[in-house]
Amino acid sequence: MIKVEKLNKTYQVGDKKIPVLKDISLTITDNEFAVVMGESGCGKSTFLSCISGLSEITSGQILLDDLSLHDKKNKAMEEIRLKKFGFIFQDNYMIDNLTVLENVCMSRLQYDPNAYELGRSLLASMHIEQLADKYPSQVSGGEKQRAAIARAMINQPDILFADEPTASLDHRSASDIMEIFKHLNEQGQCILMVTHSAQIAAYGTRIMIMEDGVFYQDEPLGKDRKANVEKIRDMVKDIL
Ligand SMILES: Nc1ncnc2c1ncn2[C@@H]1O[C@H](COP(=O)(O)OP(=O)(O)OP(=O)(O)O)[C@@H](O)[C@H]1O
Ligand SMILES: [Mg+2]
């Protein structure tokens, strides 16, 4: 469970202060697939990087199972962040001169001699086991994004963070990726995802709409995807 309490994030550019996240409080429970939508520039990526401990926060608290993520006194937190969080971005940054399997397993090799075995089984669950020994330049965008999911899952994270994971994919590949997310969530994986697409958001179990640094709508989603799309379109019609 991740708990956000009075989160504020202000960027400082020169002597100008830019408040981006404003007093956000919410909880994301372990079994949720929460989706964040909102206009470009409203603070979605900033929210993701604060809540996942990648960015400093200005004030407030982020608690992961009652441990404060931004407590600098707690040196173990760095490792906890590495092991408990998985990240997928719009443009997944694969290292070109490592194979797909090596990319996937990299962050686990240092502490687990069986990392490659787990990596292969993750690639198999994404239906790309045949790509294990290829290099990133030899696989398609959709395949690369599947590999990025495998890489994000390699440390068996408590939470998977995904910032526009399907933005650079065609409709078919995007739906495939969302089916994988849905399946992971049904198996208990907590996911927090940002998207601009109602169709993609409709795979979630919760929709959160951000405007100007606050969540002004936050609703559960049902299992009927078509109904979800309608509901989400209605929620965002004034802003997107
Ligand atoms: N490092 C930074 N320094 C200063 N301002 C920043 C920084 N990063 C983001 N911002 C500003 O903060 C605001 C929110 O940015 P953010 O990237 O979180 O938006 P977003 O909702 O993810 O947008 P998009 O949908 O385009 O990805 C924007 O006005 C942006 O210009
Ligand atoms: Mg963004």
Side-chain angles (χ1 to χ4, degrees), residues 57-77:
I57 63 177
T58 306
S59 65
Q61 274 217 96
I62 319 266
L63 299 166
L64 176 71
D65 301 331
D66 295 327
L67 280 169
S68 174
L69 264 194
H70 291 82
D71 186 351
K72 289 210 187 86
K73 282 173 277 172
N74 194 345
K75 284 202 172 141
M77 280 320 292

mmCIF file of all heavy atoms in Angstrom, residues 57-77:
data_model
loop_
_atom_site.group_PDB
_atom_site.id
_atom_site.type_symbol
_atom_site.label_atom_id
_atom_site.label_comp_id
_atom_site.label_asym_id
_atom_site.label_seq_id
_atom_site.Cartn_x
_atom_site.Cartn_y
_atom_site.Cartn_z
ATOM 1 N N ILE A 57 10.592 15.637 -2.994
ATOM 2 C CA ILE A 57 9.322 16.336 -2.849
ATOM 3 C C ILE A 57 9.553 17.622 -2.062
ATOM 4 O O ILE A 57 10.568 17.758 -1.387
ATOM 5 C CB ILE A 57 8.244 15.455 -2.177
ATOM 6 C CG1 ILE A 57 8.645 15.076 -0.754
ATOM 7 C CG2 ILE A 57 8.010 14.199 -2.994
ATOM 8 C CD1 ILE A 57 7.570 14.275 -0.034
ATOM 9 N N THR A 58 8.632 18.571 -2.183
ATOM 10 C CA THR A 58 8.813 19.856 -1.497
ATOM 11 C C THR A 58 8.286 19.770 -0.066
ATOM 12 O O THR A 58 8.928 20.220 0.871
ATOM 13 C CB THR A 58 8.103 20.984 -2.279
ATOM 14 O OG1 THR A 58 8.577 20.949 -3.623
ATOM 15 C CG2 THR A 58 8.399 22.336 -1.674
ATOM 16 N N SER A 59 7.100 19.172 0.103
ATOM 17 C CA SER A 59 6.607 18.904 1.461
ATOM 18 C C SER A 59 5.599 17.774 1.412
ATOM 19 O O SER A 59 5.154 17.370 0.344
ATOM 20 C CB SER A 59 5.970 20.160 2.077
ATOM 21 O OG SER A 59 4.806 20.510 1.344
ATOM 22 N N GLY A 60 5.247 17.271 2.583
ATOM 23 C CA GLY A 60 4.318 16.149 2.669
ATOM 24 C C GLY A 60 5.063 14.852 2.883
ATOM 25 O O GLY A 60 6.259 14.855 3.208
ATOM 26 N N GLN A 61 4.381 13.765 2.691
ATOM 27 C CA GLN A 61 4.953 12.447 2.952
ATOM 28 C C GLN A 61 4.454 11.413 1.952
ATOM 29 O O GLN A 61 3.301 11.470 1.537
ATOM 30 C CB GLN A 61 4.465 11.941 4.308
ATOM 31 C CG GLN A 61 5.261 12.389 5.483
ATOM 32 C CD GLN A 61 5.349 11.279 6.516
ATOM 33 O OE1 GLN A 61 6.323 10.538 6.543
ATOM 34 N NE2 GLN A 61 4.329 11.139 7.332
ATOM 35 N N ILE A 62 5.316 10.479 1.591
ATOM 36 C CA ILE A 62 4.879 9.304 0.840
ATOM 37 C C ILE A 62 5.256 8.097 1.680
ATOM 38 O O ILE A 62 6.434 7.921 2.020
ATOM 39 C CB ILE A 62 5.600 9.172 -0.523
ATOM 40 C CG1 ILE A 62 5.766 10.503 -1.225
ATOM 41 C CG2 ILE A 62 4.950 8.097 -1.387
ATOM 42 C CD1 ILE A 62 4.753 10.893 -2.201
ATOM 43 N N LEU A 63 4.268 7.298 2.025
ATOM 44 C CA LEU A 63 4.532 6.140 2.878
ATOM 45 C C LEU A 63 4.299 4.855 2.106
ATOM 46 O O LEU A 63 3.235 4.645 1.518
ATOM 47 C CB LEU A 63 3.611 6.162 4.105
ATOM 48 C CG LEU A 63 3.741 7.367 5.023
ATOM 49 C CD1 LEU A 63 2.567 7.451 5.988
ATOM 50 C CD2 LEU A 63 5.052 7.297 5.791
ATOM 51 N N LEU A 64 5.324 4.015 2.106
ATOM 52 C CA LEU A 64 5.171 2.693 1.518
ATOM 53 C C LEU A 64 5.080 1.725 2.691
ATOM 54 O O LEU A 64 6.066 1.524 3.413
ATOM 55 C CB LEU A 64 6.380 2.362 0.637
ATOM 56 C CG LEU A 64 6.373 0.960 0.038
ATOM 57 C CD1 LEU A 64 5.310 0.836 -1.042
ATOM 58 C CD2 LEU A 64 7.736 0.613 -0.539
ATOM 59 N N ASP A 65 3.912 1.133 2.874
ATOM 60 C CA ASP A 65 3.686 0.265 4.037
ATOM 61 C C ASP A 65 4.238 0.901 5.314
ATOM 62 O O ASP A 65 5.006 0.290 6.047
ATOM 63 C CB ASP A 65 4.328 -1.111 3.824
ATOM 64 C CG ASP A 65 3.755 -1.795 2.600
ATOM 65 O OD1 ASP A 65 2.586 -1.543 2.266
ATOM 66 O OD2 ASP A 65 4.492 -2.569 1.968
ATOM 67 N N ASP A 66 3.896 2.161 5.537
ATOM 68 C CA ASP A 66 4.262 2.913 6.740
ATOM 69 C C ASP A 66 5.732 3.346 6.830
ATOM 70 O O ASP A 66 6.158 3.922 7.822
ATOM 71 C CB ASP A 66 3.852 2.176 8.022
ATOM 72 C CG ASP A 66 2.334 2.071 8.120
ATOM 73 O OD1 ASP A 66 1.647 3.003 7.645
ATOM 74 O OD2 ASP A 66 1.837 1.062 8.647
ATOM 75 N N LEU A 67 6.536 3.068 5.801
ATOM 76 C CA LEU A 67 7.904 3.587 5.762
ATOM 77 C C LEU A 67 7.929 4.834 4.897
ATOM 78 O O LEU A 67 7.394 4.829 3.789
ATOM 79 C CB LEU A 67 8.843 2.562 5.130
ATOM 80 C CG LEU A 67 9.325 1.422 6.001
ATOM 81 C CD1 LEU A 67 10.022 0.375 5.147
ATOM 82 C CD2 LEU A 67 10.265 1.951 7.070
ATOM 83 N N SER A 68 8.588 5.888 5.392
ATOM 84 C CA SER A 68 8.625 7.124 4.628
ATOM 85 C C SER A 68 9.665 7.039 3.511
ATOM 86 O O SER A 68 10.841 6.787 3.750
ATOM 87 C CB SER A 68 8.944 8.293 5.549
ATOM 88 O OG SER A 68 9.097 9.434 4.750
ATOM 89 N N LEU A 69 9.219 7.278 2.272
ATOM 90 C CA LEU A 69 10.109 7.126 1.114
ATOM 91 C C LEU A 69 11.169 8.204 1.001
ATOM 92 O O LEU A 69 12.207 8.000 0.409
ATOM 93 C CB LEU A 69 9.281 7.204 -0.172
ATOM 94 C CG LEU A 69 8.824 5.934 -0.816
ATOM 95 C CD1 LEU A 69 8.344 6.242 -2.219
ATOM 96 C CD2 LEU A 69 9.932 4.909 -0.868
ATOM 97 N N HIS A 70 10.865 9.369 1.495
ATOM 98 C CA HIS A 70 11.785 10.480 1.306
ATOM 99 C C HIS A 70 12.568 10.803 2.578
ATOM 100 O O HIS A 70 13.111 11.877 2.722
ATOM 101 C CB HIS A 70 11.033 11.720 0.798
ATOM 102 C CG HIS A 70 10.526 11.549 -0.599
ATOM 103 N ND1 HIS A 70 9.358 10.886 -0.878
ATOM 104 C CD2 HIS A 70 11.042 11.912 -1.801
ATOM 105 C CE1 HIS A 70 9.163 10.880 -2.198
ATOM 106 N NE2 HIS A 70 10.167 11.492 -2.775
ATOM 107 N N ASP A 71 12.622 9.827 3.473
ATOM 108 C CA ASP A 71 13.369 10.019 4.703
ATOM 109 C C ASP A 71 14.847 9.744 4.432
ATOM 110 O O ASP A 71 15.259 8.600 4.277
ATOM 111 C CB ASP A 71 12.825 9.053 5.770
ATOM 112 C CG ASP A 71 13.459 9.297 7.114
ATOM 113 O OD1 ASP A 71 14.430 10.086 7.159
ATOM 114 O OD2 ASP A 71 13.002 8.714 8.097
ATOM 115 N N LYS A 72 15.622 10.823 4.360
ATOM 116 C CA LYS A 72 17.027 10.669 3.968
ATOM 117 C C LYS A 72 17.841 9.910 5.007
ATOM 118 O O LYS A 72 18.894 9.367 4.720
ATOM 119 C CB LYS A 72 17.640 12.050 3.749
ATOM 120 C CG LYS A 72 17.122 12.724 2.499
ATOM 121 C CD LYS A 72 18.172 13.651 1.925
ATOM 122 C CE LYS A 72 17.634 14.473 0.783
ATOM 123 N NZ LYS A 72 16.970 15.698 1.226
ATOM 124 N N LYS A 73 17.336 9.901 6.257
ATOM 125 C CA LYS A 73 18.075 9.190 7.300
ATOM 126 C C LYS A 73 18.050 7.685 7.057
ATOM 127 O O LYS A 73 18.897 6.953 7.520
ATOM 128 C CB LYS A 73 17.466 9.496 8.677
ATOM 129 C CG LYS A 73 17.877 10.862 9.192
ATOM 130 C CD LYS A 73 17.128 11.194 10.464
ATOM 131 C CE LYS A 73 15.790 11.741 10.108
ATOM 132 N NZ LYS A 73 14.787 11.992 11.024
ATOM 133 N N ASN A 74 17.065 7.268 6.301
ATOM 134 C CA ASN A 74 16.877 5.847 6.091
ATOM 135 C C ASN A 74 17.580 5.391 4.810
ATOM 136 O O ASN A 74 17.035 5.418 3.724
ATOM 137 C CB ASN A 74 15.371 5.568 5.998
ATOM 138 C CG ASN A 74 15.069 4.104 6.120
ATOM 139 O OD1 ASN A 74 15.969 3.272 5.997
ATOM 140 N ND2 ASN A 74 13.822 3.794 6.352
ATOM 141 N N LYS A 75 18.845 4.984 4.965
ATOM 142 C CA LYS A 75 19.647 4.660 3.776
ATOM 143 C C LYS A 75 19.130 3.426 3.051
ATOM 144 O O LYS A 75 19.320 3.267 1.859
ATOM 145 C CB LYS A 75 21.109 4.486 4.172
ATOM 146 C CG LYS A 75 21.787 5.808 4.414
ATOM 147 C CD LYS A 75 23.288 5.680 4.268
ATOM 148 C CE LYS A 75 23.921 7.049 4.325
ATOM 149 N NZ LYS A 75 25.173 7.080 5.045
ATOM 150 N N ALA A 76 18.493 2.534 3.793
ATOM 151 C CA ALA A 76 17.988 1.308 3.175
ATOM 152 C C ALA A 76 16.896 1.613 2.160
ATOM 153 O O ALA A 76 16.573 0.786 1.314
ATOM 154 C CB ALA A 76 17.465 0.370 4.246
ATOM 155 N N MET A 77 16.338 2.824 2.239
ATOM 156 C CA MET A 77 15.227 3.146 1.340
ATOM 157 C C MET A 77 15.627 3.099 -0.136
ATOM 158 O O MET A 77 14.841 2.763 -0.992
ATOM 159 C CB MET A 77 14.641 4.525 1.659
ATOM 160 C CG MET A 77 13.699 4.567 2.819
ATOM 161 S SD MET A 77 12.569 3.171 2.924
ATOM 162 C CE MET A 77 11.529 3.441 1.515
#
